[in-house]
Amino acid sequence: MHELKTGPGYYREVASGRKKFEVRKNDRDFKVGDLLWLREYDPATGYTGEETGRFIVYILNDPQFVKEGYVILGF
């Protein structure tokens, strides 16, 4: 499981089902099947208490499409 901070705008899009991916620095050895536990975080006030989980079903790390050191995680 990977617990991650997510900004309010991005969090709302994930929670609504419209956003089905995350772009993240590849510093956690993400793998297909891992759980992303996304916690809404407002820089001005901190964690909001809103949380949701998504399982990684696809990882794009092709340097032709993704900046070096980053991945796109589909869920």
Side-chain angles (χ1 to χ4, degrees):
M1 181 175 89
H2 306 278
E3 188 174 309
L4 303 169
K5 289 181 185 176
T6 303
Y10 297 119
Y11 179 84
R12 283 190 296 275
E13 293 298 307
V14 170
S16 74
R18 286 185 296 266
K19 183 173 178 272
K20 300 180 184 298
F21 64 92
E22 282 287 306
V23 178
R24 293 287 175 157
K25 188 172 186 177
N26 193 13
D27 60 354
R28 294 175 178 246
D29 193 30
F30 295 109
K31 295 197 180 346
V32 169
D34 287 356
L35 176 64
L36 299 180
W37 193 253
L38 304 172
R39 299 180 64 204
E40 185 179 31
Y41 182 82
D42 184 330
T45 59
Y47 288 104
T48 67
E50 296 294 321
E51 302 178 355
T52 190
R54 298 290 189 273
F55 286 99
I56 298 172
V57 297
Y58 185 80
I59 299 174
L60 178 63
N61 62 358
D62 186 330
Q64 182 177 352
F65 303 106
V66 184
K67 185 177 176 179
E68 182 71 30
Y70 286 79
V71 290
I72 298 174
L73 307 170
F75 43 78

